[in-house]
Amino acid sequence: MTASPTINLLIAEDEEHLGLVLQKELSRLGNHVVLVHDGQAALEAAGETDFDVALIDIMMPKMTGIDLCHFLHESYPDTVIIVESAMTEIHYAIEALRHGAFDYITKPYTLAEVQAAVERALHHRLLLTSSKQYDRRLEELVSARTDEVHEASSTLSAALKSLALTKQSTLSALAVALETRDVDSPGHSERVVAYCKRLGIMLELGSVDMAALEQAALIHDIGKIAVPDSILMKKGPLNEQELVHMRRHVDFSLRIMRGMDLVDGTREIVAQHHERLDGGGYPKALSADKILIGARILAVADAFDAMTSERRYDSTRTFESAIDELRRCSGTQFDPRVVDALTRVPVDRWREIGHAATKMRAAAQDRDRIKAASLHAAETH
Ligand SMILES: [Fe+2]
Ligand SMILES: [Fe+2]
């Protein structure tokens, strides 16, 4: 047996002489051996020392070895128990195994047999300990990895959120850039987005189509940036040549969008927002079933806001009159399903939606101005 000063042995043996011999011999091998003579004393000793192995006699006063096995195993499951019994008591030994003993030796035994049994018990204890350590390590590992995954996923969702915000603010900045040329009334893009969202919900668009519609609505006319002022700012109707030029804004928009990371379908909606149901639109004169639902919605929302907020020609219509005009063009220029959806919403609700979008846009501009001013102050400080 490999002697180790860290091995703690408990011997519960009522035959005093035998107990002393065992204690002496096992101590000589470098073990720390505690000898007791009954079950009660064994339990008390176990409460004070963490025993690696307990060698228990089955026949003892006060408490049988079987009961002691049971209590020891319940309270100190890491202590490996060996019972010793006479050949005639072998059924007790088997009973003890059922109550948590690991092994048994039969009397009379040699010291070598006891040493071999203790060694087996120690080996078992080592396996038990390392298996528990392994389980503990595994639990720690799983918990650490779970934390890492949670952390990574929250970092990822924060990054995606920030990316989405950055993308959105870039698109908004483009919309604002267009407004600086006084093409549309302030907040036109944001109101068109708000109207599109409401109509998209009513027409039960899926989440990707909704996202594409929203992005397309925000930058639908960005290509007008490339249209000459003489055409863009012209008061009164455009001549044929000017119209051709103006209509090229769709193509310019698509060119500007080329380098952008946009939701699938956004480009197609922008490309088709001037197509008409009757095939009389531009740039491709697509007919009804070739026009995407997103483009049909955008066409209605765009015209609705243009009619109700246009400033340059002092030709602003009331919401009621704009709805009448959309109804008049339903089935020819506009998709009747979209116009129907629009008419199902009370006029006052459209007014509120439009106001809210304009206010949000103004608040965002204020925030940007304050941010720019504080950045400027920090730089010049
Ligand atoms: Fe347009
Ligand atoms: Fe527009």
Side-chain angles (χ1 to χ4, degrees):
M1 188 173 91
T2 309
S4 164
T6 57
I7 294 170
N8 291 315
L9 292 179
L10 172 67
I11 298 175
E13 173 59 69
D14 63 326
E15 285 177 46
E16 209 170 319
H17 178 68
L18 177 59
L20 285 170
V21 171
L22 282 172
Q23 184 181 32
K24 189 178 157 199
E25 291 301 322
L26 292 170
S27 299
R28 209 163 47 79
L29 295 169
N31 303 306
H32 170 239
V33 184
V34 174
L35 173 65
V36 294
H37 299 294
D38 60 67
Q40 193 59 51
L43 282 178
E44 282 165 20
E48 289 167 10
T49 306
D50 176 21
F51 289 107
D52 298 292
V53 179
L55 185 61
I56 295 171
D57 187 17
I58 285 194
M59 290 305 176
M60 282 192 298
K62 295 186 186 172
M63 184 188 293
T64 69
I66 292 169
D67 287 342
L68 178 57
C69 260
H70 178 77
F71 292 131
L72 262 186
H73 187 65
E74 284 281 296
S75 308
Y76 312 102
D78 290 344
T79 300
V80 185
I81 303 167
I82 305 167
V83 290
E84 39 173 289
S85 69
M87 277 305 280
T88 51
E89 301 163 351
I90 202 75
H91 58 285
Y92 287 126
I94 291 165
E95 186 66 16
L97 293 180
R98 287 203 190 103
H99 284 85
F102 165 70
D103 201 359
Y104 71 89
I105 49 175
T106 49
K107 289 177 182 174
Y109 45 70
T110 63
L111 190 61
E113 284 172 329
V114 177
Q115 285 173 7
V118 171
E119 200 165 341
R120 282 198 302 276
L122 280 174
H123 182 67
H124 178 67
R125 158 120 173 159
L126 205 68
L127 285 179
L128 270 182
T129 316
S130 46
S131 156
K132 280 190 177 168
Q133 276 174 349
Y134 177 78
D135 286 351
R136 231 185 346 258
R137 179 79 193 105
L138 201 64
E139 267 171 36
E140 283 169 8
L141 208 65
V142 168
S143 140
R145 292 312 299 262
T146 309
D147 288 350
E148 275 172 32
V149 169
H150 279 153
E151 203 175 314
S153 95
S154 64
T155 310
L156 185 66
S157 60
L160 285 173
K161 205 170 165 187
S162 128
L163 197 65
L165 280 174
T166 308
K167 198 194 278 179
Q168 198 62 21
S169 56
T170 306
L171 297 182
S172 299
L174 279 170
V176 170
L178 183 62
E179 276 180 17
T180 57
R181 297 197 61 195
D182 206 21
V183 176
D184 296 306
S185 66
H188 167 69
S189 301
E190 283 78 4
R191 283 190 301 276
V192 175
V193 169
Y195 297 152
C196 281
K197 277 161 90 171
R198 182 62 192 250
L199 291 169
I201 291 168
M202 294 183 76
L203 293 164
E204 298 177 349
L205 256 58
S207 58
V208 177
D209 286 345
M210 267 308 258
L213 175 59
E214 208 175 316
Q215 287 195 339
L218 193 56
I219 52 171
H220 63 278
D221 275 341
I222 190 62
K224 282 186 181 170
I225 278 180
V227 175
D229 278 355
S230 56
I231 298 172
L232 211 54
M233 310 295 176
K234 186 178 174 184
K235 302 209 173 195
L238 301 177
N239 64 35
E240 202 53 39
Q241 202 183 353
E242 289 166 339
L243 261 180
V244 170
H245 225 98
M246 181 60 134
R247 287 173 175 176
R248 288 189 64 202
H249 80 272
V250 176
D251 185 41
F252 292 139
S253 294
L254 294 175
R255 278 200 241 169
I256 293 170
M257 290 162 73
R258 214 175 273 163
M260 294 181 187
D261 177 21
L262 298 163
V263 177
D264 282 351
T266 305
R267 286 176 182 78
E268 290 75 8
I269 297 174
V270 171
Q272 298 178 1
H273 80 278
H274 283 293
E275 299 290 354
R276 292 171 52 118
L277 214 64
D278 57 9
Y282 66 92
K284 292 194 171 168
L286 298 175
S287 53
D289 57 337
K290 297 283 188 302
I291 306 169
L292 292 170
I293 181 67
R296 299 167 187 223
I297 294 174
L298 177 52
V300 170
D302 192 21
F304 188 42
D305 187 66
M307 286 189 279
T308 50
S309 66
E310 184 60 73
R311 294 178 312 171
R312 277 187 294 146
Y313 307 116
D314 295 325
S315 58
T316 312
R317 289 172 184 258
T318 62
F319 278 65
E320 289 80 358
S321 152
I323 291 171
D324 284 346
E325 179 64 11
L326 290 172
R327 268 207 198 102
R328 196 181 63 78
C329 301
S330 175
T332 49
Q333 184 173 354
F334 302 116
D335 183 342
R337 279 189 306 154
V338 182
V339 177
D340 282 353
L342 187 131
T343 56
R344 287 208 302 275
V345 177
V347 173
D348 283 344
R349 183 67 196 122
W350 283 121
R351 248 183 228 112
E352 286 165 15
I353 294 171
H355 274 308
T358 311
K359 268 167 78 178
M360 266 178 64
R361 161 65 203 287
Q365 270 185 319
D366 284 348
R367 269 200 309 276
D368 289 348
R369 263 197 293 273
I370 292 166
K371 207 163 143 189
S374 60
L375 273 175
H376 179 71
E379 279 167 12
T380 53
H381 196 66

